[in-house]
Amino acid sequence: MVDIRSSAIKSLCKLVPALVAGFFSYFKSWRHFWKTYSIEVPREFGPLLSFNFKRALKKQIQLLKKDDNWDQAALQAYVKRVQERTVKQTRSQETFEAMAKEFEQTQVVGSEVYTQMYLASRLRPKKKLRLVLRHLGARVDQFGFLQLTGGHVLTQELLLNELFYGAFRFDVCQVYANEDGLNRDSLGQRIHLFRSWLDRQNLNYVRQNYRGDTDLAKLQNYAYQTGRSLDLTTNASFHNRTQGDFTYPKYMKIQVPASNTQTFGKLNNARMVEFIVDLTTEKFVSEWNVYHETTDGQIDSDPNHYDLTELAQVANTESLNYGIPHGQQHDMPNKEHAHYDLDVYHPNDPEVRKLATKIFHSPKTMAKGGNYVDLIKHLSDLRTWQAIPLKQKSIVYSKYLESSRNKGIVKGIANSDNGENRSS
């Protein structure tokens, strides 16, 4: 019996140093956490709630650092936000519910929380871009299509969060705005393909959240309610591709917002978001109108699974702009050519769009000696064009093209020299 007790005491004595070391290590980690993130808890919380609050916040920080790879600056921004959102809570349940809600939003790319962390991060621009795609699990499949397979999702309200758009565009320009553009490396390729997913969010948000008989009416409603102006002045020839001979434009391009609305630093969101509208039906023209989903929730990117009608939508689809298109806004220096470097001379498209643009060709513009000129530069042009009988549209367009050539300026069909008595 004595030997057994002696053995137990010896074992316990051996454990004590380890237990003491563990306690001090635990205490040290807590002290480091409090000091690093300047945790402040309202006195009303009390000792127990205060400890549980800090413990839960510490666990969140560990996950955001280890799993999501955020840097110290981004994590500090998150802690500050959580404290601001929970400081007014008086009940413990409300406190932890608010904390959980904030953490959930860190998993939503483009959310207010995510954007604050993105802006606060001191990672180099290229690492931040890579981090976003990593969060979304962005990978290029066998048909060159970008599939999103990660644990994070894109926010549904991306169109309203212009701050994220401005920040993401700024970083893309910082890294890739040169003559090589996004063609420089594999990350650039994925960033090019990623714009399609941003288009999808914008399209769905307008359709699902604003009233109107047509997509255009809903877009106008969005512009009215948010105070955003619509730009119709940039060339739409790449979105008027045809399989046969070109006769006259069938679609117009609208970019949002017409001018920069950002006040944060050097961010600029002018004419970044894009919509293509059918001049007759006023519906959006988009690849996302026709893409099929597979049973596992991915996009069916096999080009052989799409017919000509569907490929026409893919060929003429919208395309978010990383550079800033000039249009007729006169708010960009003439030497600024990031739009061409990033959006026009871009890396390879997915195979489905390669096939679509092989079948459907864009017309040569008037500026290059061709027969394409934009009909629509203002919404009043659309009403004027719609009032022209179908049988006379080709004739009216030919006169409008000739007038535009002679004047050397494109004013829109309603303001051209042949603007009077169009239906005669």
Side-chain angles (χ1 to χ4, degrees):
M1 178 66 78
V2 175
D3 291 339
I4 295 176
R5 287 180 180 177
S6 177
S7 177
I9 292 172
K10 288 180 179 179
S11 298
L12 183 59
C13 289
K14 290 180 180 180
L15 285 174
V16 169
L19 291 172
V20 172
F23 171 79
F24 278 107
S25 177
Y26 181 73
F27 177 77
K28 186 178 180 180
S29 70
W30 268 104
R31 187 178 180 181
H32 175 74
F33 176 67
W34 294 332
K35 185 177 180 180
T36 302
Y37 298 103
S38 303
I39 306 297
E40 296 180 3
V41 180
R43 294 179 180 178
E44 295 81 4
F45 276 20
L48 182 59
L49 178 57
S50 176
F51 175 76
N52 288 335
F53 174 83
K54 292 177 180 178
R55 184 173 61 179
L57 186 55
K58 183 183 179 184
K59 180 64 175 177
Q60 290 183 346
I61 291 297
Q62 289 173 335
L63 291 172
L64 291 171
K65 184 177 182 178
K66 181 180 179 181
D67 296 348
D68 293 350
N69 294 105
W70 285 111
D71 64 332
Q72 198 71 31
L75 297 176
Q76 287 176 326
Y78 175 72
V79 169
K80 181 180 179 181
R81 180 181 171 91
V82 169
Q83 289 183 297
E84 290 173 348
R85 292 299 187 274
T86 57
V87 69
K88 296 181 180 180
Q89 306 297 338
T90 58
R91 297 168 55 191
S92 60
Q93 182 178 350
E94 292 174 347
T95 298
F96 289 102
E97 285 177 354
M99 187 188 299
K101 185 177 180 181
E102 294 302 309
F103 184 77
E104 287 175 2
Q105 291 302 300
T106 67
Q107 307 301 296
V108 181
V109 174
S111 68
E112 187 176 330
V113 180
Y114 191 97
T115 301
Q116 286 186 6
M117 295 177 69
Y118 186 90
L119 288 170
S121 172
R122 293 179 183 175
L123 293 172
R124 292 183 179 276
K126 192 168 187 177
K127 286 188 175 181
K128 291 170 72 173
L129 296 173
R130 185 179 286 113
L131 187 65
V132 171
L133 297 186
R134 180 181 183 276
H135 287 163
L136 293 167
R139 64 170 184 83
V140 181
D141 68 13
Q142 61 179 323
F143 296 110
F145 194 93
L146 190 75
Q147 304 284 358
L148 302 186
T149 62
H152 290 57
V153 296
L154 276 170
T155 178
Q156 296 296 319
E157 301 178 351
L158 200 55
L159 183 60
L160 296 185
N161 192 356
E162 295 172 333
L163 191 57
F164 177 78
Y165 268 148
F168 194 80
R169 168 189 262 182
F170 181 80
D171 285 340
V172 171
C173 289
Q174 285 287 98
V175 179
Y176 291 103
N178 53 49
E179 59 184 21
D180 292 329
L182 295 168
N183 292 285
R184 187 192 307 172
D185 53 30
S186 60
L187 177 61
Q189 167 73 16
R190 288 189 296 152
I191 289 173
H192 162 60
L193 298 173
F194 180 52
R195 75 178 87 221
S196 176
W197 286 97
L198 301 177
D199 291 330
R200 183 198 198 196
Q201 301 304 96
N202 300 329
L203 224 69
N204 289 343
Y205 188 78
V206 169
R207 283 173 165 168
Q208 296 169 10
N209 292 278
Y210 296 94
R211 293 182 178 181
D213 293 333
T214 65
D215 289 333
L216 177 59
K218 292 178 180 180
L219 182 59
Q220 289 178 282
N221 222 338
Y222 152 78
Y224 175 76
Q225 292 184 32
T226 61
R228 297 293 178 258
S229 54
L230 306 177
D231 182 271
L232 288 73
T233 67
T234 57
N235 186 282
S237 61
F238 287 152
H239 308 277
N240 274 280
R241 298 173 184 269
T242 58
Q243 188 175 10
D245 295 333
F246 173 77
T247 52
Y248 51 79
K250 304 297 194 303
Y251 312 122
M252 68 177 182
K253 178 165 64 176
I254 299 177
Q255 293 176 340
V256 183
S259 56
N260 185 31
T261 64
Q262 291 292 300
T263 57
F264 187 94
K266 297 180 180 180
L267 304 189
N268 191 322
N269 64 334
R271 303 181 290 284
M272 187 172 182
V273 175
E274 187 171 288
F275 300 92
I276 307 302
V277 179
D278 188 300
L279 299 182
T280 302
T281 65
E282 298 186 13
K283 293 181 179 179
F284 291 145
V285 177
S286 175
E287 59 191 332
W288 293 105
N289 290 338
V290 299
Y291 282 153
H292 319 143
E293 280 196 12
T294 61
T295 54
D296 60 354
Q298 299 297 292
I299 301 302
D300 180 0
S301 58
D302 188 336
N304 297 313
H305 294 171
Y306 294 90
D307 60 30
L308 282 177
T309 302
E310 293 171 322
L311 289 174
Q313 293 273 320
V314 176
N316 290 306
T317 192
E318 72 292 311
S319 182
L320 179 132
N321 299 294
Y322 290 130
I324 304 176
H326 285 250
Q328 295 178 1
Q329 294 296 331
H330 307 294
D331 57 357
M332 297 290 294
N334 291 331
K335 64 179 181 179
E336 174 59 45
H337 48 76
H339 173 54
Y340 290 94
D341 293 340
L342 299 171
D343 307 316
V344 179
Y345 303 109
H346 54 68
N348 286 334
D349 283 323
E351 294 299 322
V352 63
R353 191 155 197 276
K354 281 185 182 179
L355 176 61
T357 54
K358 184 177 180 180
I359 297 172
F360 297 90
H361 307 281
S362 59
K364 185 184 291 187
T365 62
M366 180 185 75
K368 295 182 177 180
N371 294 327
Y372 178 88
V373 64
D374 286 322
L375 281 167
I376 315 299
K377 292 298 182 182
H378 308 277
L379 286 174
S380 58
D381 294 322
L382 177 61
R383 302 306 168 211
T384 299
W385 179 250
Q386 289 176 334
I388 299 172
L390 180 61
K391 292 182 179 180
Q392 297 183 25
K393 287 187 183 295
S394 293
I395 298 174
V396 172
Y397 178 73
S398 295
K399 292 181 179 179
Y400 169 65
L401 174 63
E402 182 181 359
S403 172
S404 298
R405 274 206 185 103
N406 292 336
K407 295 290 184 180
I409 187 171
V410 181
K411 297 181 177 181
I413 189 70
N415 297 298
S416 66
D417 290 343
N418 62 321
E420 297 180 1
N421 195 28
R422 293 184 200 293
S423 59
S424 59

